[in-house]
Amino acid sequence: AQGLLESGGGSVPAGGSLRLSCVLSGYTRSSNCLGWFRQTPGKEREGVASLHGGLGSTTYGDPVKGRFIISRDNAKNTMYLQMNSLKPEDTAVYFCAAGCLSGAIWPWNRADFRLWGQGTQVTVSS
């Protein structure tokens, strides 16, 4: 298995924007299972956004609907999470995920993913 390389995290004031990137390699370049998750200390890892690579369909967690956009640049083999109108409660470590485990069913959940990025910190100040 190959890992995923994330970048783009940082510290921004409330109302600002960030774009996270996740470089895909190997078989994950053609994966139907694509997504972003986030986690804070003491809490479960929660789904932020998911994308079906074949259908182009997307889903978003309720807290980020209307503010975040998941996308993929096939030519660059890179998946993105555009985060707009950031709020302090968006502060978390963000993880990209790709690759379908056997039995994965759309809409994806965290148990459907084979590979995970190393995580990148996003901090939003009030």
Side-chain angles (χ1 to χ4, degrees), residues 31-34 37 50-53 55 57-59 99-114:
S31 177
N32 286 334
C33 296
L34 301 167
F37 295 78
S50 296
L51 182 151
H52 192 298
L55 299 176
S57 302
T58 60
T59 66
C100 296
L101 291 171
S102 296
I105 300 175
W106 177 258
W108 314 133
N109 61 64
R110 61 188 175 188
D112 291 324
F113 291 93
R114 180 181 296 275

Side-chain angles (χ1 to χ4, degrees), residues 20-78:
L20 306 183
S21 299
C22 180
V23 178
L24 308 175
S25 62
Y27 83 96
T28 59
R29 293 177 177 179
S30 60
S31 177
N32 286 334
C33 296
L34 301 167
W36 290 92
F37 295 78
R38 67 186 184 186
Q39 188 168 26
T40 56
K43 299 179 64 177
E44 295 182 355
R45 186 170 299 187
E46 65 177 358
V48 175
S50 296
L51 182 151
H52 192 298
L55 299 176
S57 302
T58 60
T59 66
Y60 295 93
D62 287 339
V64 309
K65 286 180 179 177
R67 299 188 296 120
F68 290 10
I69 301 172
I70 185 173
S71 65
R72 181 177 64 181
D73 185 334
N74 291 323
K76 298 295 184 182
N77 300 125
T78 302

